[in-house]
Amino acid sequence: MTHDARATLRVALDPRSIAVIGASDNDNKIGGRPIAFLKRFGFRGAVYPVNPTRDEIQGLRSYASLAALPEAPELAIVAVPGARAVEAVEDCARAGVRVCVVFSSGFGETPDPAARAQERAMVECARAAGMRMVGPNSQGLANFGTGAVPSFSTMFVEAPPADGPVGIISQSGAMSVIPYGLLRARGIGVRHSHATGNDADTTVCELATVVAEDPALKLLLLYLEGVPDPWHLAEAARIARERELPIVALKSGRSPAGQAAARSHTGALANEDRVVDAFLEDQGIWRVRSVVEMVDAAALYLKGWRPRGRRLVSISNSGAVCVMSADAATEAGLSLEPLGEPTQAELRTILPGFATTTNPVDITAALLSNSSLFGSILPAIGRDPAADAFFVGIPVAGAGYDVEAFARDSARFEADTGKPLVAAVPQRSVAERFEAHGVVTYPTETEAIRALGQFLSHAERLRAAKAEDAPAPVRRAPPAGTRMLDEAASLALLGGRGVPVVAHRVVATPADARAAHAALGGGRVVVKGVSAKVAHKSELGIVKVGLDSADAVEAAAREVLDAAARAGVALDGVVVARMARGLRELMVGAHLDPTFGPVLVVGDGGKYVEAMPDVATVLAPFTPARIGRALRRLRIAPLLDGVRGEPPMDVDAFCRAAAAVGDLVADRDAGVASVDANPVIVGPRGEGCVAVDAVVWREVAL
């Protein structure tokens, strides 16, 4: 996005003047509500209602047309239907409006080709004039910091706004205000609540680049139904990382680009959802699965903590809560390491002998008779080096308990340590005491620790993203067409790029196969038919394995040729390849994603890879270190280091080979659209790896 384009979008957040085309005197109408909001929420600029049938609207002078205004408004709202909306956008472009927010619907969100064409015409008109358009089908924008609320959302009536440190941007109107309502119910102020509608011109991702600049923000929430412009989101993430502004995204749906998977089976494995996950992780953005997860951790992000680890200490007066907190911590990816012996010794001098002092710390019901126990143990726990964050569970309190002291001590402890602390307090009257002291409180340990786990894991992701500073995806047009290379040509291409490939020979006759077996030094070999028309050969009976004699090889070659003829498959030859041995079959694949560019997939290999995929997706740059980290997220990760007496695998060799495959697809001059190398057999550490089968698709011009 150019500097001028971003400067124009900034106007959307703080315009000096706003016109409302289709203005209404009724503040419950779409054309009336933004006028009421602008007056109610402190907008300091000029407001110009435009309606040819009224002289005055909501106490403001009304104008017959945009041309009749005393000045060109910086922002205009279009709240008229159908063809009149198209005309209004054209009027705005002619008048010099800088940003146009189109409430009107019935355009690109419908299947009607004529309506879609009208939307494209509006975009072209706006861009030709240098005007930015939000919508159509937008619920509007809201910046409660400036009072610029060109929106018709009912939520702002039902849940009165309060300026705060959270921003929300969504394509969906509902999802721009549902998180808003949930946050306001928790007493959290929201500064930005923007709905971009059809994203015809200004997208969620592009608007995020200017919202992320707001110095008052401490948390940015995004609702995405697709990521058609990841370069804008990468730019927003870069700005946010520089400001240490966390971004949390709820991504639903699938883009048409993602559904058009590459023709290789790794294209299906690297579906758009997995690619989005990899992209968001690279950029330091946390992806949640629901709106509840989106807002549950919000209060933690606003505390200003800078966590440095995920080791949790759990404290409760209930053994059951201690056990359940340990379970919740495991599910959240947090570790409960035992407190050091000096810490435990100090705790034993304070707590009764039947209390637990390891971790979790169970104060037991003794807290009822001695409320000072809670505050007394906290300083010792806070000094323990195993403590990165704290959970306090008070399942039952009230009469007989000094609840005020519990809440006060928790808040003081949090302030003294500077480390994250959450509490689980199901009793509302008790929870209110904790909340009054600023302690982030949840009804249950599951909710508290899940939110804490998200916050701590996100902090870790942000540090990694900031250190690595992953580049934005490179926009790259998909190939006009592709053609598949046969296995021999594919292996040759990979071998030329530094990927270790199995020793093999390509022959034409059974007699040649016998000679190839001898040339390979004898031993066990595989015989396979070679064809640029067949990617998966086993189903056709043109693969023979475990052959250890010249006679067997010659016979197998004859059987392969006969089976291909029966199946009507014209072979380019027969491959005789040495049988490779190793510890595990892995796979590596790469393809050109039409949105995200080159994408690499690594994981468990073999013939069941599609039925039981255990794969990870990696975006450029394809370094062995990045690929190694991706492998460690797989279910098979424990096997990489050796189990039950097996030696560790040569993961480094595999990662170098995978990086070479990724670089091949990323190389524009190579003209490669997709690669499948499966299996890649990995040997013990120091013995390397070898690709024994591969298929490459080259780009072709149609």
Side-chain angles (χ1 to χ4, degrees), residues 5 12 29 82 89 106 131 177 198 228 259 281 290 359 414 527 567 597:
K29 297 289 188 181
V89 171
M131 179 179 76
V177 293
N198 290 359
Q259 293 170 348
E281 180 172 351
S290 68
N359 185 19
E414 174 193 312
V527 172

Side-chain angles (χ1 to χ4, degrees), residues 47 51 97 125 140 144 282 296 305 320 364 617 693:
V47 180
N51 187 325
V97 171
C125 175
F144 297 108
D282 281 353
D296 258 4
W305 292 319
T364 75
T617 303
D693 197 354

Side-chain angles (χ1 to χ4, degrees), residues 322-402:
C322 286
V323 173
M324 290 188 292
S325 69
D327 290 341
T330 299
E331 291 175 2
L334 307 181
S335 63
L336 271 72
E337 299 180 11
L339 296 172
E341 182 52 38
T343 303
Q344 293 195 49
E346 187 172 352
L347 294 180
R348 286 193 289 268
T349 67
I350 302 169
L351 295 173
F354 48 85
T356 303
T357 60
T358 51
N359 185 19
V361 177
D362 182 6
I363 307 174
T364 75
L367 189 61
L368 176 60
S369 57
N370 185 357
S371 289
S372 68
L373 290 176
F374 183 74
S376 299
I377 66 172
L378 292 179
I381 293 173
R383 291 189 294 268
D384 194 278
D388 295 318
F390 306 95
F391 163 77
V392 172
I394 307 292
V396 179
Y401 292 89
D402 191 347

